[in-house]
Amino acid sequence: MSATPHEAAKALADGALILLPTETVYGLGADAGAPEAVAAIFAAKGRPRFNPLISHVADAEMAADIGVFDAAAQALAQAFWPGPLTLVTPIRDAGRVCDLARAGLDSVAIRVPAHPAAKAVLAAFGGPVVAPSANRSGRPSPTTFADAVEETGFAVAAAVDGGPCRVGLESTVVSALDGRVALLRPGAVTREQIEAVIGPLADDGEGRRSPGRLALHYAPDAPVRIEATAAAPDEILLGFGPGVGETRWSLSPTGDLSQAAANLFRLLREADRQKPAAIAVSPIPGAGLGEAINDRLRRAAGFVG
Ligand code: TXA
Ligand code: MG
């Protein structure tokens, strides 16, 4: 069933879509420079076209070919690539990342993933690959091969099985534009880790102006109730910490945030398949990775983050 990285690179060169495993979540990939292929991503996901895509590249040199890196962007790239950080910089080469991929902006979001299969596909293809999370728009991101195939497998010519995603939450999106660094989407690299490299981030108000951060997002079909301390008999409780709810449904029985991040989308999907009256989720601490977990949960519950 699984395509090889070379088959996936060939499909990209032919203008087709692929399923691309990364350490965060599975992506739905296309050649960033091919407008028709990029249009097929928006169609398959049902994604609004004003929401720009992330360009994935094999290494920092390729990143510097498409974006303009100031000192802060260079420091962050050095510290966190390859890995779950996306940097938004001014666009350098608009030919290699088409207007549709950038939603017409004069900036570009760039990421160098760490997953070995992603690296192999990107090295074999040799150019930027746009890849939003492989879910249909508004739904939880897929973190297993089976979930990715179920969401958007119908649209691809090659699907690469990279196993379950180690991190399980999307990359952190940081912009470095006009000498100002801002956190646009909390994610797998924490605010604390970023501030340890470049100092205090600009205020968050910016985050709400980032395109595509819709309130109802990452949502299963069942309603999601956050900060829950108990569940009704027809609800499922996703617990956190020792002795909270059933172990099978626990985000982390030991109260470990990395484990909770890795389990979050998979358990939301599994709980949804049981068709409960609601999915109740225990309170999650807000520091470190907790910021990104709570961001996704608030959006799954329909609150503006
Ligand atoms: O972990 C991830 O980032 C995954 C994997 C597949 O790499 N990808 C992902 O892509 O989550 P997506 O499309 O679901 O999220 C991309 C985010 C959106 O919030 C979008 O608005 C933002 O990045 N973005 C992309 N280009 C931007 C730009 N030029 N300026 C500001 N935000 C941008
Ligand atoms: Mg997404």
Side-chain angles (χ1 to χ4, degrees), residues 20-28 45 47 50-56 84-86 88-89 101-103 105-111 113 131-135 141 169-173 175 177 184-185 188 209-213 217-218 296:
L20 178 75
T22 84
E23 72 276 25
T24 57
V25 302
Y26 274 79
L28 179 63
K45 281 182 61 85
R47 176 174 174 122
F50 57 76
N51 191 2
L53 306 177
I54 297 172
S55 289
H56 298 69
L85 176 74
T86 295
V88 176
T89 73
R102 291 180 285 111
L105 298 171
D106 52 13
S107 58
V108 61
I110 312 173
R111 163 158 131 77
S133 48
N135 53 287
S141 304
L169 274 187
E170 298 84 355
S171 62
T172 305
V173 181
S175 63
L177 299 168
L184 302 188
R185 178 176 75 180
R209 289 199 294 276
S210 167
R213 305 241 55 215
H217 206 143
Y218 311 105
R296 304 306 188 270

Side-chain angles (χ1 to χ4, degrees), residues 27-45:
L28 179 63
D31 176 354
E36 284 178 21
V38 177
I41 287 187
F42 284 92
K45 281 182 61 85

Side-chain angles (χ1 to χ4, degrees), residues 50-268:
F50 57 76
N51 191 2
L53 306 177
I54 297 172
S55 289
H56 298 69
V57 292
D59 52 44
E61 289 77 68
M62 222 186 268
D65 286 344
I66 59 173
V68 180
F69 285 64
D70 65 13
Q74 283 178 31
L76 291 170
Q78 176 84 33
F80 299 111
W81 281 352
L85 176 74
T86 295
L87 288 168
V88 176
T89 73
I91 181 75
R92 183 187 294 284
D93 186 345
R96 297 183 75 177
V97 181
C98 66
D99 276 359
L100 182 57
R102 291 180 285 111
L105 298 171
D106 52 13
S107 58
V108 61
I110 312 173
R111 163 158 131 77
V112 178
H115 193 296
K119 288 165 84 168
V121 172
L122 295 170
F125 179 63
V129 173
V130 283
S133 48
N135 53 287
R136 279 166 285 126
S137 199
R139 300 196 14 97
S141 304
T143 56
T144 66
F145 184 62
D147 286 343
V149 169
E150 181 186 317
E151 283 287 328
T152 51
F154 66 87
V156 306
V160 180
D161 184 351
C165 300
R166 177 173 55 80
V167 176
L169 274 187
E170 298 84 355
S171 62
T172 305
V173 181
V174 171
S175 63
L177 299 168
D178 304 321
R180 180 185 152 92
V181 186
L183 181 63
L184 302 188
R185 178 176 75 180
V189 175
T190 66
R191 175 191 296 274
E192 292 86 342
Q193 287 174 304
I194 290 167
E195 292 189 333
V197 175
I198 50 134
L201 283 157
D203 201 289
D204 249 341
E206 184 88 358
R208 279 182 269 281
R209 289 199 294 276
S210 167
R213 305 241 55 215
L214 307 175
L216 190 62
H217 206 143
Y218 311 105
D221 291 332
V224 173
R225 196 157 61 76
I226 57 178
E227 311 283 343
T229 46
D234 56 355
E235 297 181 343
I236 290 175
L237 177 67
L238 301 188
F240 180 82
V244 183
E246 284 176 67
T247 311
R248 144 170 204 225
W249 293 115
S250 181
L251 290 166
S252 170
T254 57
D256 176 74
L257 288 170
S258 300
Q259 187 182 27
N263 284 329
L264 179 65
F265 289 137
R266 181 179 59 79
L267 284 177
L268 281 174

